[in-house]
Amino acid sequence: GAGVSQSPSNKVTEKGKDVELRCDPISGHTALYWYRQRLGQGLEFLIYFQGNSAPDKSGLPSDRFSAERTGESVSTLTIQRTQQEDSAVYLCASSSYIGPIETQYFGPGTRLLVL
Amino acid sequence: AQSVTQLDSQVPVFEEAPVELRCNYSSSVSVYLFWYVQYPNQGLQLLLKYLSGSTLVESINGFEAEFNKSQTSFHLRKPSVHISDTAEYFCAVSDKRGNTPLVFGKGTRLSVIA
């Protein structure tokens, strides 16, 4: 596609419910990243997929958070038993892996509000 | 591990005035440096990046940033701002393994006043 897309754009949920966020990377991009942006904070890294390698999950804040990616396509970030502190904008980015460093292209984000 | 400090959370400036948005980083290894911009209701966009070579890098819309290794800084400057530059600006670093997660500062909100 033309850019990274994410859905839904906004999600309101009740504390304790599970949510699933979706990211469609740019076609052909082998690397995919999830970040979280809480109000007044910078972006925090959550998880990183690179091709068929095991994902780097070092940024996931708790075992309630998980993510999957099928091949080099869509990724889903799942938050189980949501808490109010999970309220944030969840951003997805993708990049190719051709040169020594490739620009990460960001999607518009999913704004999650946990009531 | 790396960290990024953006010293100013908000910077108001009058149109056509110069501006500098400050960024300092900490890292035990060599890093790549980036500035991203987020316009209202839009996603993050890369503004400019330093990988190697000349320490002064420029964007197409008149911003520039200078890598200063001794001061571990990568301040963003523009000699004359426009209303359309109103946005949030994020400084970020990644280590030189390449294609690794970015470490971001908390952002600086630039407000250009007519």
Side-chain angles (χ1 to χ4, degrees), chain A residues 60-72:
Chain A
L60 294 178
S62 78
D63 58 7
R64 296 187 295 105
F65 287 72
S66 62
E68 294 183 350
R69 187 183 187 195
T70 305
E72 296 181 357

Side-chain angles (χ1 to χ4, degrees), chain A residues 1-5 23-30 69 72 94-95 105-106:
Chain A
V4 178
S5 60
C23 171
D24 283 89
I26 293 172
S27 178
H29 278 190
T30 58
R69 187 183 187 195
E72 296 181 357
S94 71
S95 68
Y105 294 88
F106 283 80

Side-chain angles (χ1 to χ4, degrees), chain A residues 45-68:
Chain A
F45 162 70
L46 297 176
I47 188 168
Y48 161 50
F49 296 90
Q50 172 53 52
N52 295 319
S53 302
D56 178 353
K57 304 180 182 180
S58 60
L60 294 178
S62 78
D63 58 7
R64 296 187 295 105
F65 287 72
S66 62
E68 294 183 350

Side-chain angles (χ1 to χ4, degrees), chain A residues 44-101:
Chain A
E44 305 169 72
F45 162 70
L46 297 176
I47 188 168
Y48 161 50
F49 296 90
Q50 172 53 52
N52 295 319
S53 302
D56 178 353
K57 304 180 182 180
S58 60
L60 294 178
S62 78
D63 58 7
R64 296 187 295 105
F65 287 72
S66 62
E68 294 183 350
R69 187 183 187 195
T70 305
E72 296 181 357
S73 61
V74 171
S75 175
T76 55
L77 176 70
T78 302
I79 308 174
Q80 296 178 308
R81 306 180 303 281
T82 52
Q83 304 295 313
Q84 289 182 333
E85 62 262 28
D86 298 335
S87 296
V89 178
Y90 289 82
L91 291 159
C92 174
S94 71
S95 68
S96 63
Y97 200 82
I98 300 175
I101 179 71

Side-chain angles (χ1 to χ4, degrees), chain A residues 33 35 37 40-43 45 48 56 91 95-97 99-104 106-108, chain B residues 32 34 36 38 42-44 46 49 51 90 94 97-107:
Chain A
Y33 310 79
Y35 295 88
Q37 183 179 19
Q41 303 294 314
L43 279 73
F45 162 70
Y48 161 50
D56 178 353
L91 291 159
S95 68
S96 63
Y97 200 82
I101 179 71
E102 292 298 328
T103 298
Q104 293 184 26
F106 283 80
Chain B
Y32 298 125
F34 306 82
Y36 278 82
Q38 188 173 32
Q42 295 187 30
L44 279 167
L46 180 68
K49 62 186 177 185
L51 304 183
F90 293 93
S94 72
R97 286 177 294 161
N99 290 303
T100 55
L102 295 165
V103 175
F104 285 85
K106 292 186 177 182

Side-chain angles (χ1 to χ4, degrees), chain B:
Chain B
Q2 295 89 38
S3 66
V4 177
T5 302
Q6 291 183 246
L7 297 168
D8 306 298
S9 59
Q10 297 187 58
V11 174
V13 62
F14 286 104
E15 193 174 17
E16 297 184 5
V19 70
E20 179 179 80
L21 307 183
R22 295 178 291 172
C23 172
N24 288 87
Y25 70 92
S26 173
S27 177
S28 56
V29 299
S30 296
V31 295
Y32 298 125
L33 295 148
F34 306 82
W35 276 98
Y36 278 82
V37 58
Q38 188 173 32
Y39 297 105
N41 301 313
Q42 295 187 30
L44 279 167
Q45 303 172 35
L46 180 68
L47 186 61
L48 48 75
K49 62 186 177 185
Y50 170 78
L51 304 183
S52 63
S54 172
T55 57
L56 185 66
V57 291
E58 299 177 350
S59 72
I60 59 173
N61 59 352
F63 281 93
E64 63 178 32
E66 186 160 19
F67 169 54
N68 187 318
K69 188 174 182 180
S70 63
Q71 297 186 5
T72 59
S73 67
F74 192 54
H75 300 333
L76 182 69
R77 295 187 291 263
K78 189 170 185 179
S80 175
V81 295
H82 302 126
I83 294 287
S84 59
D85 293 324
T86 294
E88 186 121 23
Y89 292 80
F90 293 93
C91 182
V93 303
S94 72
D95 70 45
K96 286 194 170 181
R97 286 177 294 161
N99 290 303
T100 55
L102 295 165
V103 175
F104 285 85
K106 292 186 177 182
T108 298
R109 183 172 299 276
L110 174 64
S111 299
V112 180
I113 306 161

